[in-house]
Amino acid sequence: MSTIVLLAVTGLGLAALYFLVASGLSLVFGLADVLNFAHGLFLSVGAYATWWAADFMPVEAAVLVGVAAGVATAVLVELILIRPLYRRTIEQVLVTVGLSLAGVALLQSVFGADPRPFPRPTWVEGVVPVFGARIPADRFLLIGAALLVFVALAAFLRYTRYGLIVRAGVENREMVTALGIDVRKAFTLVFAIGGAAAALAGSLAGIYFTTVSPGTGGSLLIFAFIVVVIGGMGSVPGSAVAAILVALLQQFVNYYGGSGAGDVCVVALLAVVLLWRPKGLAKA
Amino acid sequence: MILDVHELDVHLSGLHILQGVSFGVAPSGVTALLGRNGAGKTTTMRALVGLNPGTGRVLFDGADLAGKRTHERVQAGLGYVPEDRCVFAGLTVTENLRLAARGETDLDLVYNLFPELLKRGQQQAGSLSGGQQQMLALGRVLQNRNRLLLVDEPTKGLAPKVVTEVAEALERVGATVPVLLVEQNLAVVRRLAGTAVVLAAGSVAWTGDATHLLGDAELTTSLLGVGR
Ligand SMILES: Nc1ncnc2c1ncn2[C@@H]1O[C@H](COP(=O)(O)OP(=O)(O)OP(=O)(O)O)[C@@H](O)[C@H]1O
Ligand SMILES: [Mg+2]
């Protein structure tokens, strides 16, 4: 029993990371049709900026520096590299893939290829007893942060003017412009939001894995893409549900079926969902 | 003329769809843009609002629209109601209206024309009937101050009672704002339009008085392929 509880809570912690990366990816694709392979770079930039800033300030404040760095990177990437290439899908893929490779290489040359120990707030070091299981407290930090971001995103989409534009644009971008709205401003905003969430995921991944390395972004990005496709492009609740499904499946199967089996099952889940609902869970 | 279209050419997927289309829209009243299926009416409307790339000259109230993007044209007062309504299915009626509001709006007019929209404010637009969706598509644009309306087949696929309701609304609106109307229902054209422009195979085939066109059975048959 205590093993199951531990696996479940750890799985939810992992789901939190997947959700934070996937929600931005999903909104960017849903609204702007951009398949952003450089999204993992926002995560890595956030993680390294936090790691760097933690020398000068408490970790909690350093995370904010990381988020700001993620936002800045995302906005610059959108304005300089993506904006001239809207509607040119192949070029976009090439540019974002190239950028993610170059970004990893750059991080390696600056910080080295080896994992660096990541600063952790002291209050996540303890364990919390739940139904007889001893759960490391950092899991709850991850879950809590993802819940906050989920609520904030839902409120943004539901109650703000730009949220309305994003929801409408995901459905039919052309029609939004035909109502007199400059939809490209919303593109930049969605990139900024995605950059913030990914950078937060980067810091949390550092805290969770206790280290940061240039490859962290890329490996999380693969599962985030799977989460986006399973959840349905452009749907934040879809990403949340899919993140939980994928992470729990991965945790349990890796534990009971041997490590690596969980990743295979995730790909199998992807195939099943695509056959059953080609547009993902959110869209019937 | 509120709108002057001069030698408009549109190529889509390598096909030469519009070939030197020229016509004008009067500064008041309803101008009908007619033609058989596939004549190029929707292509023309989309090019005017900047959704189709086109060459040639389009003057809107004297200002050249060249290089202006779609949202800028609309903000300049060109209200566009597309064929097939295109309401946002996942947004409520109120959200659809709020999204489309530009500056000072007149929702009273919209709710007055279509009381149904007031009753169904919280309903998802995707679950509205076809007629209600058309009312929403019109309401979205009519709440704003427009200097010209482009309306593409607003009565397509609607029951006779709703056709009448939509025609009445356009008649009221047309009294204050000039309208370029694509319409297949000739009874509606007869009721609303002063001038008619007929397209055939991507060019203007006839321009003149709408009543004259519809009064001439031979002409209507040859241009539109229908009797009266
Ligand atoms: N994106 C496109 N690519 C290629 N051809 C197109 C495209 N859009 C329209 N066409 C063609 O252009 C021609 C004109 O189409 P358009 O939709 O303007 O006709 P229409 O007059 O509005 O017809 P309807 O009365 O059926 O709505 C048609 O032959 C159509 O097949
Ligand atoms: Mg048409």
Side-chain angles (χ1 to χ4, degrees), chain A residues 121-145:
Chain A
T122 47
W123 48 272
V124 301
E125 297 297 351
V127 292
V128 181
V130 179
F131 298 120
R134 291 164 56 78
I135 315 281
D138 56 7
R139 278 30 168 203
F140 296 104
L141 169 64
L142 268 60
I143 296 168

Side-chain angles (χ1 to χ4, degrees), chain B:
Chain B
M1 294 283 134
I2 179 83
L3 191 77
D4 242 310
V5 183
H6 191 73
E7 294 289 320
L8 180 64
D9 270 47
V10 172
H11 293 259
L12 295 173
S13 330
L15 299 172
H16 198 170
I17 307 284
L18 293 190
Q19 307 171 5
V21 168
S22 304
F23 63 92
V25 177
S28 68
V30 175
T31 302
L33 183 61
L34 308 175
R36 303 177 189 220
N37 290 123
K41 305 179 296 291
T42 297
T43 307
T44 305
M45 297 292 244
R46 286 175 54 88
L48 294 178
V49 78
L51 291 173
N52 278 339
T55 55
R57 215 152 49 99
V58 180
L59 298 181
F60 177 38
D61 213 356
D64 198 335
L65 288 182
K68 286 246 189 301
R69 288 166 54 200
T70 298
H71 72 271
E72 295 167 327
R73 296 181 189 210
V74 175
Q75 281 167 9
L78 201 57
Y80 171 59
V81 185
E83 194 175 3
D84 299 323
R85 299 143 200 163
C86 298
V87 297
F88 297 100
L91 272 53
T92 64
V93 168
T94 314
E95 285 175 331
N96 266 278
L97 290 169
R98 193 146 44 88
L99 177 73
R102 316 190 306 265
E104 207 182 308
T105 57
D106 188 354
L107 276 174
D108 289 344
L109 168 75
V110 172
Y111 290 141
N112 199 296
L113 290 171
F114 308 118
E116 198 79 12
L117 294 182
L118 186 57
K119 268 202 320 231
R120 299 181 179 274
Q122 293 314 307
Q123 191 174 335
Q124 298 249 310
S127 64
L128 294 173
S129 75
Q132 291 159 354
Q133 290 191 11
Q134 186 62 60
M135 295 173 194
L136 179 56
L138 283 164
R140 235 168 22 176
V141 172
L142 298 183
Q143 67 179 319
N144 297 305
R145 289 211 175 147
N146 299 292
R147 290 194 292 157
L148 171 64
L149 288 169
L150 307 175
V151 186
D152 196 348
E153 294 208 36
T155 66
K156 186 172 164 184
L158 302 184
K161 185 164 170 296
V162 190
V163 171
T164 312
E165 206 172 331
V166 166
E168 262 164 22
L170 285 172
E171 189 167 37
R172 270 182 62 185
V173 170
T176 53
V177 183
V179 181
L180 178 62
L181 174 71
V182 172
E183 182 56 68
Q184 303 275 15
N185 183 326
L186 295 187
V188 173
V189 175
R190 187 173 291 114
R191 173 167 174 183
L192 298 178
T195 313
V197 177
V198 183
L199 291 180
S203 309
V204 174
W206 192 87
T207 311
D209 188 65
T211 342
H212 173 72
L213 169 68
L214 298 179
D216 187 332
E218 213 171 299
L219 198 56
T220 354
T221 313
S222 74
L223 287 171
L224 303 175
V226 285
R228 287 190 298 151

